[in-house]
Amino acid sequence: MQQFDMIRAQSAGEAVRLGAQGEDGATHPVRFLAGGTTLLDLMKLNVEQPQRVLDINRLPLDKIEQSADGGLKIGALVRNSDLAHHPLVMQRYPVLSQALLSGASAQLRNMATTGGNLLQRTRCVYFRDTAMACNKRQPGSGCSAIGGFNRNLAILGTSDNCIATNPSDMNVALSALEATIHVQGAAGVRSIPIADFYLLPGNTPQRETVLNPGDLVTHVTLAAPIAGAHSTYLKLRDRASYEFALSSAAVIIGVAHGRISHARVALGGVGTRPWRSPEAEAVLMNATANADTFAQAAKAAVGTAVARSENGFKIELVQRCLVHALHTATSPSTASRSA
């Protein structure tokens, strides 16, 4: 680990101002520190080498509040455990609670934050090993994963420069919920729909979001739940706990008179970003809620999938995952759950 300066930000404005300042145009920007469950790991591996770390934990961004329109405002410093177990989240957004509780361990959830989870970095082994070529870590060096160990990596949204997966469970649920991310930066404040927040790797895999240097995520907002819609989060993995998804699905489904009136589908473990699937949603909308419809939607969801040497099994796995999640969300036993 390299030496760095540690500063405790006293306000969001100070954090933004200091966060936008590199030292003498340094390559490695200032980093914000919240729970530290990703940043500190990467600093120990010398993947991240900030010259300045800004502790933002004392900023007043740790509240969960119901908004006037019936939605929810979630502060960037809300811990994953607190969010998962909050009564409003459990009752009105169970897909989010389920996703959070399926991630990491209880100890990590007690530290990890909403803002930090939004910016969680990939678990690709080549990204985390500075001896290996990785375009995300060092642009232009190549992608060792394409011809190497890629069993856990992406089949959707990939490019010839990067096939790394987004590892978060929370972000998959937030994508299905169409969350809005609120940011304070040097240019002011802005609200970013989660669909526009993450970038595909393309030719610039080192840039994962639309954030600029110094931009601080302050909170996330969710719209009021859709009346009559039900939701679920299903995660498939190699072991039952403390493991990243091979495939996951967050679904929010409304059914009226046997036909689907509302459909939101997002997939995890298979995309270079949390993977919202408008293709699956288009198949589901206004269709009969049955096994044939679910199978067609799952097939549509992987229409653009590209398999590599070791991860082709994910094309079948994610379809089975989505079909099972759709059956669960539309089953009578789920009727007590809202979106």
Side-chain angles (χ1 to χ4, degrees):
M1 183 185 290
Q2 305 296 314
Q3 289 188 339
F4 59 92
D5 294 329
M6 183 86 165
I7 300 173
R8 177 169 289 150
Q10 301 302 315
S11 67
E14 181 185 39
V16 169
R17 178 177 58 81
L18 294 175
Q21 298 174 357
E23 291 194 5
D24 301 322
T27 301
H28 304 290
V30 175
R31 294 298 189 211
F32 295 129
L33 174 67
T37 57
T38 292
L39 177 62
L40 295 182
D41 277 351
L42 295 180
M43 288 173 66
K44 293 174 184 178
L45 295 170
N46 286 323
V47 173
E48 288 277 7
Q49 299 178 15
Q51 294 183 343
R52 179 183 296 170
V53 174
L54 292 176
D55 182 352
I56 61 172
N57 280 291
R58 293 194 178 183
L59 301 185
L61 303 174
D62 60 348
K63 300 293 190 295
I64 302 172
E65 304 169 297
Q66 185 169 349
S67 53
D69 61 0
L72 202 65
K73 177 181 178 181
I74 304 165
L77 292 178
V78 172
R79 307 292 163 169
N80 286 178
S81 291
D82 293 335
L83 183 59
H85 292 290
H86 194 279
L88 285 175
V89 176
M90 296 176 68
Q91 295 165 12
R92 306 184 70 189
Y93 307 95
V95 66
L96 178 56
S97 178
Q98 292 165 14
L100 286 163
L101 291 174
S102 74
S105 65
Q107 293 89 341
L108 285 172
R109 293 194 296 268
N110 287 340
M111 289 298 297
T113 62
T114 301
N117 207 321
L118 285 169
L119 302 176
Q120 189 177 1
R121 308 299 301 277
T122 182
R123 300 296 296 194
C124 175
V125 295
Y126 300 106
F127 171 73
R128 296 169 65 86
D129 184 351
T130 56
M132 305 301 294
C134 172
N135 288 319
K136 186 180 289 293
R137 191 186 65 250
Q138 186 177 354
S141 63
C143 177
S144 299
I146 289 177
F149 176 69
N150 52 51
R151 179 177 180 272
N152 298 329
L153 300 184
I155 57 173
L156 293 167
T158 61
S159 74
D160 291 338
N161 293 292
C162 184
I163 61 172
T165 29
N166 184 290
S168 173
D169 294 292
M170 181 193 82
N171 297 338
V172 180
L174 289 181
S175 294
L177 289 166
E178 299 178 288
T180 299
I181 300 165
H182 300 264
V183 175
Q184 183 173 336
V189 298
R190 65 191 196 276
S191 301
I192 308 167
I194 195 167
D196 300 328
F197 186 73
Y198 295 99
L199 301 175
L200 292 175
N203 294 322
T204 55
Q206 73 278 10
R207 190 161 187 231
E208 298 175 349
T209 72
V210 298
L211 295 182
N212 297 313
D215 279 354
L216 176 68
V217 175
T218 56
H219 61 284
V220 173
T221 53
L222 303 178
I226 302 296
H230 309 299
S231 69
T232 196
Y233 184 76
L234 176 63
K235 180 177 181 178
L236 306 181
R237 45 192 163 174
D238 283 327
R239 58 188 181 195
S241 65
Y242 198 47
E243 183 62 277
F244 294 90
L246 290 172
S247 174
S248 67
V251 299
I252 303 173
I253 296 290
V255 179
H257 308 294
R259 303 189 77 84
I260 298 170
S261 57
H262 179 84
R264 295 294 183 268
V265 173
L267 306 173
V270 292
T272 54
R273 63 184 181 187
W275 198 259
R276 175 84 177 272
S277 182
E279 298 86 359
E281 294 170 4
V283 172
L284 292 167
M285 281 299 297
N286 300 313
T288 303
N290 60 26
D292 287 342
T293 297
F294 298 161
Q296 291 173 29
K299 184 176 180 180
V302 295
T304 61
V306 177
R308 304 291 174 171
S309 58
E310 298 178 346
N311 66 359
F313 73 96
K314 285 192 174 188
I315 294 177
E316 176 69 19
L317 184 68
V318 70
Q319 291 182 77
R320 295 188 180 210
C321 180
L322 178 54
V323 167
H324 190 87
L326 289 167
H327 277 294
T328 300
T330 55
S331 70
S333 63
T334 315
S336 62
R337 300 176 186 170
S338 63

